[in-house]
Amino acid sequence: MNVKYGTTGVPIILNDSLAYLECKVVRKIDVDTHWLFIGELVDAQMLDDNNKPMTYSYYRETKKGVAPKNAPTYIDKSKLDRLTESVKSGKHKCTVCGYIYDESKEEIKFSDLPDHWKCPVCAAGKEDFTEV
Ligand code: FE
């Protein structure tokens, strides 16, 4: 067991740790779902430069961890894919008549058009367009 004794003599177990921070708690805040501790740094050391820390990004990408839908870090992948596609092509097709709204030929991005905007050919609503 890899043990370090903190400045107050309290043992700190460092098994499988890449680094440690020892802080003196100067404030404790109740934020409803958990406590937030504000600390003053007392000591710190990097123990292992050869391995990468398991970040939240690593957890989500490698371990397939998904944030709950109500979490601020939640990403709706289907919305993100649609957004990315529309940014790439800049073209939106009317599903009623086939008219293509091409952002490269217009002054306004499709997403910036007002909700009451209509297809110039068949008068279908903006909601009848899909990104192509
Ligand atoms: Fe149309």
Side-chain angles (χ1 to χ4, degrees):
M1 185 180 301
N2 185 8
V3 178
K4 175 198 180 311
Y5 289 91
T7 54
T8 58
V10 174
I12 304 167
I13 299 167
L14 299 170
N15 292 351
D16 301 319
S17 298
L18 300 179
Y20 73 86
L21 302 170
E22 182 183 356
C23 298
K24 177 184 172 195
V25 176
V26 292
R27 193 163 171 213
K28 185 174 148 186
I29 305 167
D30 182 356
V31 290
D32 289 338
T33 55
H34 58 280
W35 286 91
L36 177 65
F37 293 91
I38 308 294
E40 192 177 283
L41 186 65
V42 175
D43 190 19
Q45 186 178 349
M46 192 73 191
L47 302 170
D48 182 350
D49 287 326
N50 299 320
N51 289 301
K52 289 184 175 178
M54 191 173 96
T55 61
Y56 192 55
S57 174
Y58 171 85
Y59 166 73
R60 290 177 61 179
E61 290 166 15
T62 307
K63 299 290 186 185
K64 307 296 181 213
V66 177
K69 282 191 174 181
N70 60 351
T73 54
Y74 176 75
I75 297 170
D76 185 336
K77 190 152 173 24
S78 63
K79 273 188 181 174
L80 189 64
D81 289 346
R82 283 195 307 257
L83 268 173
T84 307
E85 264 182 39
S86 69
V87 167
K88 282 181 189 169
S89 74
K91 293 180 181 175
H92 302 262
K93 183 178 181 179
C94 176
T95 57
V96 177
C97 73
Y99 169 79
I100 303 279
Y101 186 94
D102 186 350
E103 291 180 348
S104 67
K105 297 176 184 170
E106 305 287 344
E107 290 181 16
I108 302 171
K109 287 178 65 175
F110 187 81
S111 60
D112 293 336
L113 290 169
D115 290 340
H116 63 271
W117 181 85
K118 302 283 183 203
C119 173
V121 176
C122 72
K126 189 177 173 185
E127 68 279 1
D128 293 317
F129 280 70
T130 57
E131 295 102 19
V132 290

